Amino acid sequence: MDVLLASLVDGLLIGFVYGLAAMGLTLIFGVMDVVNLSHGALIALGMFGVYLLFTGLGLNPYLGLLIVLVLGIILGMILYAIAIHPLLDGPHLSTLLSTFAVSMIIIGVGTMLFTSTPRNIDINLGSMVLGPVRLQGTRVVAALVAILVATGLYIFMYRTHVGKSIRAVANNRDAAELVGIPSVRILAFSFGLGTMLAMVSGGLIATLFPFSILSGGTYELKSFVICVLGGLGNPTGALLGGLILGLIEGLIPVFMPVGWTPVIEFTLFVLIILIRPSGILGAR
Amino acid sequence: MMRYVRDPALWLTTLVVLVAGVWPLITRSATTREDMFLILMFVTLASSLNIVLGYTGYVNFGHIVFFGLGGYIGFYLIAEKGWHVIPAALAASLGVVLFAAILGGIILRLRGAYFALATIGVNEAVRSFIVNWDAVGGAVGMEMNFSRYQDYGGPMNALWFAYILLLIVTLASVLLSYFVRTSKFGLGLLAIREDEDAALVLGIPAPKAKTIAFALSAIFPAIVGTLFFFKNGNIEPGDAFRLHMSVEGIVMIMLGGYGTVMGPVVGAATYERLRGFLLTSPLFKNLQLAFAGVLLLLIIIFVPSGVVGWLRNRFPKVRRILA
Amino acid sequence: MSVILEVDHVTKRFGGLVAVNNVSFQLYEGEILGLIGPNGAGKTTLFNCINGVYTPEEGRILFKGQDITGLPPYKVVRMGIARTHQVVRPLNELSVLENVVVGACYGRENLSLEEGRRTAEEVLEFVGLADKRNVLAGKLNVAEKKRLEMARALAARPYLLLLDEVLAGLNPTEVARMLHVVRKIREEGVTILMIEHLMHAVMNLSDRIIVLDYGSKIAEGTPKEVANNPKVIEAYLGDPDLALSLVEERT
């Protein structure tokens, strides 16, 4: 029983971080109908951002995250200008491929610079005991940071002018343009936000597990599963989807060999797309 | 029938594949054969993917599932059951086509990004399932006993035999692509690509047509899978279901020309040669992936119709010979 | 005259909204029946029910005595009902000829590619697009796209043609040209059910007219009867332009 509980709580904590990553993917899809296949590479970039700041400058990983956050927004806006904007009105395939091209570039350069040997960020925040459960400090902090960023994003989207503009553009780009919202700048900024979320979650994951420049792929696939769970284009759904995925990952190893986790995850993923393409929340 | 015999596009396409494919048989060079094996393999994969992607307009990231599953079925029959490679490849193809028909019937209801995502999911689900399935070796995969090659007159002859079979399969897949493209059925697929709802109203039984296209696209990748792993002598999930290979197939189609018969042939050959060059050049060796990425990005932005598409648009006269 | 199409108490709902409410009418072979009504009256939805895009919740649709309710669109075309779309839907990356060949090959006669090409050439000649046959459909102007839409439907060699606002967005010359085409189609013996906002055109062309408002049929009769029907005037009051054109037609 205690094993189950510990496993569940652990899964839940990771779930917040997964959810944050997926929010980046789903935000971009919701605003501009683009499935960002460079998502995984950006997550890996976030991992290395925090890692390099930590090993190179000795910067605390959580402070490093702040820098990664800002860099993420800037990088995302540049990527938008190069790889998204010229193709926005083309067929779906163009942006799928252009974002995949970006991913190839990032991973290609990354492999040359960092090779593909695993790295890890060596921090230990001890552990805390909560009833029958012992929690690792880094996981608790990662979950808290994820919640903080997600809440910040929520407030930003609903309380600020720019945030409201983003939602307006997501809803109907032409109408938004008509009421004077500069849709191109909003789209660029949204891509920046999505990139930032990917990189920050990557930075958080780097404090928990060993990683390499190739690790992003796994988390990109998890993000897809989460987005579909929560409904593509729905950031709140993504957070919830992250928690569900975290729970599933915490639960499965208790009942069957851990290798079966991806089988169940991806089967669930395909089934949900087929049965409820709007996600289990059902809202669009 | 006469219109096919007189079509220069058909002859040009066949000739290109045949001349390139026979080259290693003339030189008897094993290196050339190995290079050509990869090129022909990708020509087949890209040409068959083009039926779904280029003609029907559905972005399939899971095309490699057909290759992987076919490889597993064929390899299992050869290595564990002692079958000859030809019946094993045919059985693999049959099994995978059946799988594709059922899967297609289910997931082709989805459109756009949803379909694309579902195909990623299918690839990962199948791969992770195979990883956990001990009967086919799980994560380690299977190895073939070296003595199996004796049936073909030793390992050297077996490799040449596999190559000749692949050449036949490549020709067949390019011909299939041609006949679909120039048929009434193919015209229906193009209509679906342009506007599926309008196509339905024009009388095209889209659900059935899409499923048939999906199943057709599975025939040859399954055979190629069997041949490839037969040649390698081992098979493992990571090699069989590499998502990256599906995307490379898409890149080849884009490079050569989306929706044309010649496009995937040109695209696959160019991409493979280019990669071979980058991998051996000291300057690009470590950057080959990034270089390919930059190339892809430039193509999508500046020549979205690919080499063949660009030629067809730029010089309408070549349309007669470049299908 | 025999009945070619019978719409029998058809109702189509979207959630709580009743788009088509218990509509019945009959269409006789060889006639032109006009379908009018204010925006949002459910005209296009009714078309979508007839050609199988939607399945009505209640009621039946009989074509040449056969129940076609709920058949998918591609089966309905095979039986001999073709349609055009209000918003044109050319297959952009295909040539004009290819667009029409699609219509011919997958239409009622289920032609081979070669036969389809012959039919398509004839139809392109008929609607006056023959000189554009090799142009990509996406490159046509609006009037040409409308004629292409018409050509594709005709290439299916239908018994019944559903025309959804084929005159909308055309200038007077183009309208005259299209009207000429419609008359020629009727002379070939094709029955026509047409949605049209351009009042003088629909009043001139139609043998009978049906008026829909809020999904219900509120009037049916000759153009003259309908134009004088107080219920129809009332329905159009919300739409001053249409009301005006209706009044003008009466005089």
Side-chain angles (χ1 to χ4, degrees), chain B residues 226-240:
Chain B
T226 306
L227 295 177
F228 180 76
F229 292 106
F230 167 73
K231 176 185 82 98
N232 279 9
N234 67 337
I235 186 168
E236 52 178 285
D239 292 339

Side-chain angles (χ1 to χ4, degrees), chain C residues 47-151:
Chain C
F47 266 28
N48 282 333
C49 290
I50 295 172
N51 91 319
V53 174
Y54 299 144
T55 305
E57 272 81 29
E58 287 162 35
R60 288 188 316 160
I61 292 158
L62 302 174
F63 179 64
K64 293 185 158 241
Q66 266 181 291
D67 192 340
I68 59 164
T69 326
L71 282 188
Y74 52 88
K75 287 196 177 149
V76 175
V77 189
R78 283 287 155 86
M79 300 188 65
I81 303 181
R83 79 172 280 184
T84 68
H85 291 96
Q86 183 181 357
V87 180
V88 289
R89 307 185 80 152
L91 309 170
N92 287 325
E93 295 290 315
L94 300 189
S95 71
V96 167
L97 180 65
E98 284 171 318
N99 264 268
V100 184
V101 174
V102 172
C105 285
Y106 287 93
R108 176 175 65 79
E109 292 177 319
N110 194 15
L111 302 174
S112 73
L113 261 188
E114 264 125 279
E115 296 162 331
R117 199 159 293 145
R118 237 170 289 139
T119 303
E121 294 279 5
E122 277 170 35
V123 174
L124 282 176
E125 204 69 55
F126 184 83
V127 301
L129 271 181
D131 53 330
K132 301 269 179 187
R133 63 161 72 76
N134 291 323
V135 177
L136 288 187
K139 298 261 182 343
L140 297 179
N141 66 34
V142 176
E144 290 164 342
K145 281 180 181 166
K146 290 256 172 187
R147 271 185 279 148
L148 173 61
E149 186 85 17
M150 183 77 112

Side-chain angles (χ1 to χ4, degrees), chain A residues 35 37 82 87 92-93 97-98 100-101 104-105 107 112 221 224 232 259-260 262-263 266 269-270 273-274 277 284, chain B residues 59 61 106 110 113-114 117 120-121 124-125 128-129 132 247 250 254 258 286-287 289-290 292-293 296-297 300-301:
Chain A
V35 176
L37 292 182
I82 298 171
L87 302 166
H92 246 115
L93 183 61
L97 287 178
S98 69
F100 189 79
M104 287 164 80
I105 298 169
I107 292 180
M112 189 188 68
L221 288 170
F224 283 140
L232 263 173
W260 286 95
V263 184
F266 287 110
F269 168 75
V270 176
I273 292 195
L274 285 170
R284 285 224 51 169
Chain B
V59 182
F61 280 113
I106 300 169
L110 301 165
Y114 289 91
L117 286 179
I120 294 180
E124 294 306 304
S128 46
F129 179 76
N132 284 286
V247 186
I250 299 177
M254 292 299 291
Y258 171 84
N286 295 315
L287 270 176
L289 190 65
L296 174 59
L297 197 56
I300 304 161
I301 296 175

Side-chain angles (χ1 to χ4, degrees), chain B residues 260-273:
Chain B
T260 63
V261 179
M262 199 57 164
V265 179
V266 173
T270 316
Y271 184 90
E272 254 317 296
R273 292 302 328 169

